[in-house]
Amino acid sequence: MKEIYSNRILNYIVLLISVLGIIDTYISLKSEVDSLNIALLNIVLIVLPGLSALSFFVKRLNTEIYSRLFIVGSIIMLPLSIYYTFLSDFILYSFSRTYLISNPIILANLLIGIILFYYSLKFSKLAKVQRESEYGAIIMILGIFLLLLTISKSIDQEPIQVVQYIVGLLLSAGITLIGNRLRLKKLRLKTAVITTILITLIIVEVT
C-alpha cells in the first residue's frame, strides 16, 4: 500500500471508506434502473471510490486527486444535493418533503465527508499551488459529468425540452472551461468555486 497523505491513519480510513463505497454501490446496482441518468449516477458512484481505492496501490494513480474527488463527489455532494432539493422545494414551492432529510445517515455522510476533506488538506503532501491545480481538474470533471447528465436527462424526457437542453449543455461546458482555467492558474480559486456553485445550481433548476 502506498501512502498518499502524510498521516497513516488517514490513509487507512480513506481506503476503508472507498471500499465500503464500492460495496454499497454494487449492492444498489442489483436493483432495477429505470432511467439513463440514474444509471449514469450509479456508474460514477462506483468509479469514484474505485479510483480512490486503486490510488493506494497503483503507482500511476498514486496522487491525492482521486481520493479527494471521491470525498467531494460521493460523500459530500450527494447529501448536499438532497438538502438542496428539500430547501428548494420548501422555499420556491412551499412544499415540505421532510422524508428527504429524516434519515440521519445523510447528515452523518455529510459530516464525515467534510471532516475527511479537512484532514486531506491538513495532511496533504502537495503544495497549495498543486492542490489548486487539482481543484481545477475536479471542477472540469464536474462539468463533464453535468454535461453527460444533461444529455441523459434529455434522452429520458418525452418530448425533449430543447431550450433547457441547450442551456444545460452550455452551462456544463462553462463549468468545464472554468475548471480548465483554474488548472492553468488563469483564475482565482475563490472565483472559480463560487462561479461553479452558482452555475451548478442554475443547471439543477433548469434541467
Side-chain angles (χ1 to χ4, degrees):
M1 174 178 167
K2 303 178 185 299
E3 293 192 357
I4 293 178
Y5 300 103
S6 59
N7 185 284
R8 178 172 294 183
I9 296 176
L10 178 62
N11 287 303
Y12 282 108
I13 291 175
V14 174
L15 176 59
L16 175 61
I17 294 178
S18 299
V19 173
L20 291 175
I22 296 172
I23 295 172
D24 180 61
T25 306
Y26 176 76
I27 293 173
S28 66
L29 284 175
K30 292 184 177 181
S31 59
E32 185 177 349
V33 178
D34 56 359
S35 63
L36 185 58
N37 62 308
I38 297 298
L40 176 63
L41 182 61
N42 284 335
I43 292 172
V44 170
L45 290 178
I46 202 166
V47 168
L48 292 185
L51 288 174
S52 177
L54 286 174
S55 67
F56 287 94
F57 301 99
V58 180
K59 187 176 181 179
R60 293 185 64 179
L61 299 177
N62 191 224
T63 62
E64 296 177 8
I65 186 172
Y66 298 108
S67 57
R68 197 167 285 130
L69 182 61
F70 163 62
I71 292 170
V72 174
S74 292
I75 307 178
I76 295 178
M77 290 299 294
L78 277 180
L80 280 181
S81 65
I82 294 173
Y83 283 116
Y84 173 77
T85 300
F86 170 79
L87 289 174
S88 177
D89 288 346
F90 183 73
I91 295 173
L92 298 179
Y93 309 107
S94 300
F95 183 60
S96 178
R97 295 197 288 177
T98 53
Y99 67 89
L100 286 175
I101 60 173
S102 60
N103 190 344
I105 296 178
I106 297 174
L107 178 59
N109 283 343
L110 179 59
L111 294 176
I112 290 171
I114 293 173
I115 292 170
L116 283 177
F117 186 76
Y118 168 77
Y119 281 107
S120 76
L121 297 179
K122 182 176 181 180
F123 296 110
S124 174
K125 294 181 179 180
L126 299 178
K128 182 179 179 181
V129 176
Q130 292 175 300
R131 288 202 302 270
E132 288 188 2
S133 179
E134 283 197 352
Y135 298 151
I138 290 174
I139 292 175
M140 286 182 66
I141 294 171
L142 172 63
I144 294 171
F145 169 71
L146 290 174
L147 193 67
L148 294 174
L149 190 63
T150 301
I151 294 173
S152 66
K153 282 185 177 180
S154 68
I155 294 174
D156 289 332
Q157 286 179 346
E158 292 184 4
I160 297 176
Q161 304 295 325
V162 179
V163 176
Q164 294 178 351
Y165 175 65
I166 294 175
V167 171
L169 289 179
L170 292 175
L171 291 176
S172 300
I175 290 178
T176 305
L177 180 62
I178 290 170
N180 187 50
R181 289 182 62 83
L182 177 60
R183 185 179 63 86
L184 297 175
K185 303 176 181 66
K186 295 182 178 180
L187 196 65
R188 294 178 60 186
L189 176 61
K190 185 182 293 186
T191 303
V193 171
I194 293 174
T195 307
T196 298
I197 291 173
L198 291 176
I199 295 177
T200 302
L201 294 179
I202 294 173
I203 292 174
V204 170
E205 290 300 326
V206 169
T207 59

